[in-house]
Amino acid sequence: MSELRNRSTGFAENQQKDECHGEGEGETYEDLDSEESKSRVVESATDKAIEEHEFLKSIPKKYRNYWIRFVVTWILIGAFAVIVYGGVFPLSVLVIAVQLICFNEIITIGYRVYKTYNLPWFRTLSWYFLFTYNYYLHGDFLANFFKYYLMKKIFLNKVLSGFAQYHSFISYCFYLSAFMAFILSLRQGYYFRQFTMFGFTNLVLLVIVTQSHLIVSNLFSGMIWFLLPVSAVITNDIMAYMFGFFLGRTKLIELSPKKTWEGFIGGAFSTVLFTIALGHWLCGYDSMVCPVS
């Protein structure tokens, strides 16, 4: 048993050395520690600014966080209401923007692993694959939709009709060129890791881009299919915090010590009531339940 432990310990140490001191200019654990220390400095500076704010100093310490959340929540709800008032297209842009942010956050993790071994083209190929997936899922639908708005623009109408007619072939060419670029980027000795990251990228794209495509399709089928679930999530988050803040006594789970049974039950009950009322109200507007035409 002692020999096995020594071997496993040695393997773990070697693996850490390989990951920390690979070929090229890679990140080390010292870099990660410095990032964590920077985040701590930012948090402490934020806390200090809150404590020095005259208005917040006049509020009891228990209610300072509640007040900040209250103000920020209404600012976010107001901004979201403005976007909703703009209609389907601003909401679609919002969904795509969230997709890009999520993709960038997740793919950065893979980029750090790639950078450790100084392997080329990973970030560029990832974004090119993202463009290819988006074109395949959104291109045909948007080309057919917008060409009806451009009937008088003969040239643009012909271009969009061509994109719609040869959409599958163009998508195939995009993906084939991306795959060929990935093959050309392969390095001897790192095949396993490169194919692992290739699978990671495609899995991320499958999850994120497919979800955003379904959300945009729901928007064009009627805004109620987007607003109702989003409003339910927002309501549950707000009301769970409210009930937990004022009535919370019983811990819900050790993983998140601030969560309480009172907040969970109160948030769930409030969400059901609010969703029923909101759904009944939204059904009275044709712009909410009718598909965009």
Side-chain angles (χ1 to χ4, degrees):
M1 291 295 292
S2 60
E3 290 181 1
L4 290 175
R5 289 175 183 172
N6 292 332
R7 289 179 182 177
S8 61
T9 304
F11 176 78
E13 291 176 353
N14 292 332
Q15 189 174 15
Q16 287 181 353
K17 290 178 181 178
D18 291 340
E19 291 179 353
C20 294
H21 306 287
E23 296 179 7
E25 298 178 357
E27 289 190 350
T28 65
Y29 288 116
E30 294 178 359
D31 297 329
L32 298 177
D33 291 339
S34 63
E35 290 180 2
E36 292 177 0
S37 62
K38 288 178 183 178
S39 65
R40 293 194 194 99
V41 171
V42 172
E43 289 177 1
S44 62
T46 304
D47 295 337
K48 186 177 181 181
I50 291 173
E51 291 177 358
E52 293 178 353
H53 196 281
E54 293 183 2
F55 177 73
L56 293 175
K57 284 173 67 176
S58 63
I59 302 175
K61 192 172 183 180
K62 178 182 177 182
Y63 293 97
R64 288 178 189 173
N65 190 33
Y66 170 79
W67 176 256
I68 295 171
R69 284 174 178 254
F70 178 82
V71 174
V72 172
T73 297
W74 281 108
I75 292 174
L76 293 175
I77 290 176
F80 182 68
V82 172
I83 296 174
V84 171
Y85 182 77
V88 171
F89 296 108
L91 284 172
S92 300
V93 173
L94 176 63
V95 172
I96 299 299
V98 173
Q99 176 208 109
L100 297 177
I101 294 171
C102 292
F103 179 78
N104 182 62
E105 289 292 327
I106 298 175
I107 214 64
T108 298
I109 300 172
Y111 178 68
R112 287 178 177 176
V113 174
Y114 240 104
K115 192 177 178 182
T116 303
Y117 293 90
N118 198 26
L119 299 175
W121 299 3
F122 174 73
R123 187 180 286 273
T124 304
L125 284 174
S126 298
W127 285 99
Y128 185 61
F129 273 112
L130 176 68
F131 167 77
T132 302
Y133 272 68
N134 273 306
Y135 178 80
Y136 175 71
L137 291 174
H138 297 288
D140 188 25
F141 170 74
L142 293 177
N144 284 318
F145 182 82
F146 279 108
K147 75 177 183 180
Y148 293 105
Y149 288 92
L150 301 172
M151 292 294 290
K152 295 180 181 180
K153 307 288 184 179
I154 299 176
F155 174 74
L156 291 177
N157 191 30
K158 287 183 177 180
V159 171
L160 289 176
S161 298
F163 275 109
Q165 183 178 359
Y166 299 105
H167 172 258
S168 298
F169 177 73
I170 296 174
S171 300
Y172 172 76
C173 291
F174 279 148
Y175 192 86
L176 184 62
S177 61
F179 186 76
M180 290 175 64
F182 166 72
I183 296 298
L184 293 174
S185 72
L186 291 175
R187 270 189 170 186
Q188 188 174 4
Y190 299 106
Y191 294 151
F192 178 77
R193 183 167 292 275
Q194 288 186 280
F195 275 100
T196 300
M197 298 312 302
F198 176 74
F200 169 77
T201 302
N202 280 271
L203 182 61
V204 171
L205 288 169
L206 182 64
V207 173
I208 293 180
V209 180
T210 303
Q211 285 190 65
S212 64
H213 171 67
L214 295 176
I215 292 172
V216 172
S217 298
N218 281 338
L219 276 170
F220 280 85
S221 298
M223 290 178 62
I224 190 174
W225 305 113
F226 174 80
L227 291 178
L228 203 60
V230 169
S231 300
V233 173
I234 295 172
T235 303
N236 183 265
D237 189 53
I238 294 174
M239 298 310 296
Y241 176 77
M242 295 285 287
F243 276 94
F245 184 84
F246 290 105
L247 304 175
R249 297 292 184 273
T250 310
K251 288 186 178 181
L252 177 63
I253 187 172
E254 292 295 332
L255 184 63
S256 184
K258 294 185 178 181
K259 297 291 188 297
T260 61
W261 277 104
E262 291 81 4
F264 174 74
I265 295 172
F269 185 71
S270 302
T271 302
V272 172
L273 293 180
F274 178 81
T275 305
I276 293 173
L278 180 65
H280 181 74
W281 180 65
L282 291 177
C283 285
Y285 295 90
D286 292 339
S287 60
M288 293 291 169
V289 296
C290 296
V292 178
S293 59

